[in-house]
Amino acid sequence: MRQEPYYITVKELVEAGRDHIPDELISATHLIYSSPATLAFNSPGAQGFGVKRAGLAIPGSVMLLVGPGCCGRNTTILSETGGYSDRFFFYVMDETDIVTGRHLTSIPQAVQEICQALPTMPSVVMICMTCVDALLGTDMERVCRKAEKKVGIPVRPCYMYALTREGRKPPMVAVRQAIYSLLEPAEKHLDTVNLMGHFAPLIDDCELYDLLHQMGLKNINEISRCRTFQDYKDMAQANFNLILNPESRLAAQELQERLHIPSAELTRLYQIDKIGRQYHIFAKALGTSIDDTAYRAEAEQAVQQFLSAHKDTVVAIGEMMNANAFELSLALARYGLKVAEVYGNLAAEDFVYLRQLAAISPDTQVYTNLSPTMLYYNCSNQDVDVTIGKDAAYYHPGSVNVPWNEERQPFGYAGVTHLFRQLSEALS
Amino acid sequence: MKGLWKYISPFAPDQSGAAAVLYELGGIIVICDAGGCAGNVCGFDEPRWFTRRSAIFSAGLRDMDAILGRDDKLIEKLCHAAKQIDASFAAIIGTPVPSVIGTDYKALQRMAEKKLDLPIVTIDTTGMQLYDNGSEKAWLALFETFAAPVDVVDEGMLAVIGATPLDMNGLDAGQQLQQQLTQEGWDKVICYGMGATLDDIRLAGRAAKNLVVAPAGLRSAQFLQERFGTPYEVRYPLAAAPWQAACAEAQSKNILVIHQQVLANSLRTALRQHGAADVTVATWFQLKDELKEEQDIALAEEDDLVQLVRQGEFDMILGDGSFKKALPFYEGTYIDVPHFAVSGRM
């Protein structure tokens, strides 16, 4: 037995092509290793935003999780996080519930008891369902309507169906639909836009705010900056939605159909020239123009300052962080750094980055956190100066690490600036 | 209301208990789930996960696997992993998804055994029971599968059954037990679950005596008594710091202890030695008839605890600090005795 982790070079990957991704990089074909590096994949709610925490994005909402006890277990962590301890409730299902469907008749009463136990009435009760009800084919919409009649406030389902992870509507897509489902038709305000995709705001100094102002958009809504339920409901006034995370596409599509709010999409990038190009195309599509020179110069300066001190830095890049691992690898390689290893969950769409990366860094090794062979990963086989991402830190515990997984979301030039400043700081 | 938990988060489930028993034994451990259960088992219920690698995998079940009952696909994945991972056995641990679709674990075991040159253990946990039920099943499956006849009994050897981080008050509990029990006169102490190897399980019959430190180990101790004639004792020999604080105030008090039954019983003994008037043990976990006293209470719902404390007139409560949230009305002394299976604290 070789006892070696599986990897493939970027060159080999690109030569094989997007239609021939090796099985080892396709999670559905093998057992999935459960190491600290896979926590974001296996238990996305354990850190950052999973379905449970995301489902509470609406101000004043509470959540009733309906499922076997095991499904609510990691909620203990969330309950300890500030502001969540009084917002989670559990209906713990047993075998009888599953066989008889008894829990469905109990939910309205449970919702009523929760509302009575709270000092103030919540704005909405989210009912979080699990794999069990997915398999039972439960019509939770109907159950929620019954509960709504009982308590007189909105009750909405959200679906934590890990079984559908690689389907058309995986849990983190479905929860985004759920949290925007309470928006109702409202008079449109031409100067209002919603930023969709994240459950925490963009970093405060992100240039996107200013650029949108330059385009004439005065009111920029983000669900995480809504302080009241009315703030949330005012999102229905938006002229358009700006998608910043592809997992929001279906939610935006639904808002377009239901509330006639169109949408546009911007991708989070770390290549400065591509960031600029994307902004200018976007502005042009809106029939306007922008001046991004100061922001671009600041990002370029941060990169140059880093390179002047650390130009020979060897980097390993994980996926538990605020970037597409392959796009970030390409960006860093284009800036002149050596990207030794990437730990990523590869998708066919990533080949747009891989093809370019193969041209400038063909020997970059691509690993997958999910492969059972990662049990044998040995960091001594590769000298790495700095790791980016919490998972990458697990593989190279002796290297400098920039977790880059803060909840406040980096984007655009500001993202580049902050990342390189953090890298400089970490290495100095 | 039955089933509704407003203040206390769910406890460690049975699949976590089973995985904790197997964690250090060098096997391939497959959590038969879609991913979330494996994430919870490792990311929350297994404190060793951050410091010690173990071949724990998620089966990565998807909706069509469940709907179509693709057991063959799971076995195929297991065989593939077995070619890559050096393992002494393989275990498949159940979760709610296989439970709902009625997975036949014995059939899974036979299928795997036909294709793999490894011992296979299956544990039919459901995610709807608590951790101690899963631990109990795993302990029993291990001893039934691996414990082989031995020629001689080592009269100086004591084996500890039931120790996992979910039941013990420290990650170093294995070493603490060894130290404590060696001081008590044993030449050799084996702590299954925390320090022992699969070979130690194979040679379980050599122990002169077994010590059960958690209810989940009791059935295995009884099984080993039947198979090898090994006598057993039930007690929790490690006194934690909160015990001393409780004992210092125990005189003439009416006390409620909420924990796993063996620890709670040993704590009760200590409290009585310090003059406690009445001590009641209550637990949401296994309350074994042979270890309980008449006044002891099996809790099932959150409301059961609230009702017990309202009616019990307890001067002092010892239990995990997270229970306090359900008892805002309680005005007596509350001493935090962490229970990892409850709050993830030791």
Side-chain angles (χ1 to χ4, degrees), chain A residues 95-129:
Chain A
E95 282 92 344
T96 309
D97 290 315
I98 289 174
V99 174
T100 65
R102 179 181 60 185
H103 64 296
L104 303 179
T105 54
S106 303
I107 288 170
Q109 191 193 335
V111 170
Q112 188 178 37
E113 279 198 30
I114 290 165
C115 291
Q116 285 167 350
L118 288 165
T120 55
M121 199 67 158
S123 60
V124 53
V125 179
M126 304 296 289
I127 308 287
C128 183
M129 299 163 64

Side-chain angles (χ1 to χ4, degrees), chain B residues 8 305 319-330 334-336:
Chain B
I8 303 170
L305 174 67
D320 192 282
S322 64
F323 299 144
K324 279 171 73 176
K325 197 177 166 202
L327 308 170
F329 56 87
Y330 177 67
Y334 194 108
I335 295 181
D336 181 17

Side-chain angles (χ1 to χ4, degrees), chain A residues 69-353:
Chain A
C70 63
C71 303
R73 178 62 178 152
N74 71 4
T75 315
T76 311
I77 299 172
L78 294 178
S79 296
E80 287 163 4
T81 311
Y84 287 94
S85 60
D86 298 320
R87 297 179 70 187
F88 279 114
F89 302 89
F90 308 93
Y91 181 91
V92 178
M93 289 171 72
D94 59 20
E95 282 92 344
T96 309
D97 290 315
I98 289 174
V99 174
T100 65
R102 179 181 60 185
H103 64 296
L104 303 179
T105 54
S106 303
I107 288 170
Q109 191 193 335
V111 170
Q112 188 178 37
E113 279 198 30
I114 290 165
C115 291
Q116 285 167 350
L118 288 165
T120 55
M121 199 67 158
S123 60
V124 53
V125 179
M126 304 296 289
I127 308 287
C128 183
M129 299 163 64
T130 69
C131 297
V132 168
D133 275 298
L135 291 170
L136 294 176
T138 300
D139 181 357
M140 194 54 84
E141 298 274 353
R142 185 166 161 269
V143 176
C144 287
R145 282 196 296 274
K146 277 192 174 179
E148 276 182 351
K149 278 187 189 163
K150 202 153 190 143
V151 292
I153 58 167
V155 180
R156 287 286 185 275
C158 64
Y159 304 95
M160 191 169 67
Y161 293 169
L163 286 167
T164 61
R165 197 194 299 268
E166 278 108 18
R168 192 183 73 87
K169 203 194 283 187
M172 291 312 293
V173 170
V175 74
R176 285 172 165 90
Q177 280 188 301
I179 62 171
Y180 291 107
S181 66
L182 284 170
L183 295 181
E184 292 165 355
E187 190 183 335
K188 295 285 171 289
H189 290 194
L190 291 177
D191 59 357
T192 299
V193 60
N194 295 329
L195 303 186
M196 290 178 71
H198 302 300
F199 300 102
L202 297 182
I203 47 181
D204 286 338
D205 60 351
C206 181
E207 73 281 355
L208 182 58
Y209 296 120
D210 180 48
L211 298 181
L212 290 171
H213 287 147
Q214 289 182 35
M215 293 174 201
L217 294 153
K218 290 178 187 162
N219 301 315
I220 302 167
N221 297 324
E222 292 169 276
I223 195 163
S224 50
R225 290 191 192 265
C226 293
R227 283 184 296 180
T228 64
F229 189 55
Q230 188 56 47
D231 289 346
Y232 160 78
K233 295 201 87 169
D234 287 346
M235 293 181 83
Q237 298 169 349
N239 187 15
F240 69 97
N241 290 317
L242 189 53
I243 300 166
L244 300 181
N245 183 324
E247 288 183 323
S248 282
R249 282 177 195 157
L250 269 180
Q253 192 181 318
E254 191 184 85
L255 290 178
Q256 179 152 15
E257 286 163 12
R258 205 164 52 80
L259 305 183
H260 310 295
I261 303 176
S263 62
E265 182 168 344
L266 294 178
T267 303
R268 174 154 54 193
L269 301 165
Y270 286 84
Q271 300 166 80
I272 290 174
D273 56 341
K274 304 287 185 197
I275 294 169
R277 189 155 177 261
Q278 179 174 242
Y279 279 145
H280 287 281
I281 289 171
F282 175 55
K284 197 173 174 187
L286 293 182
T288 181
S289 62
I290 51 164
D291 177 9
D292 62 347
T293 48
Y295 303 112
R296 181 173 181 144
E298 191 180 14
E300 286 171 343
Q301 188 186 17
V303 173
Q304 283 312 316
Q305 276 180 349
F306 177 83
L307 292 175
S308 63
H310 308 286
K311 71 179 172 62
D312 296 323
T313 300
V314 180
V315 189
I317 297 174
E319 61 184 341
M320 284 171 73
M321 49 128 198
N322 294 320
N324 174 308
F326 300 101
E327 196 278 331
L328 181 58
S329 299
L330 173 60
L332 298 190
R334 287 184 65 201
Y335 296 139
L337 302 179
K338 182 184 173 188
V339 180
E341 297 175 345
V342 186
Y343 320 104
N345 196 14
L346 187 69
E349 304 85 80
D350 294 321
F351 272 76
V352 67
Y353 307 124

Side-chain angles (χ1 to χ4, degrees), chain A residues 32 34-35 85 90 92 166 376, chain B residues 3 5 49 58 62 86 325:
Chain A
I32 294 167
S34 195
S35 77
S85 60
F90 308 93
V92 178
E166 278 108 18
Y376 296 123
Chain B
W5 292 66
W49 187 66
S58 163
R62 293 297 169 259
D86 194 10
K325 197 177 166 202

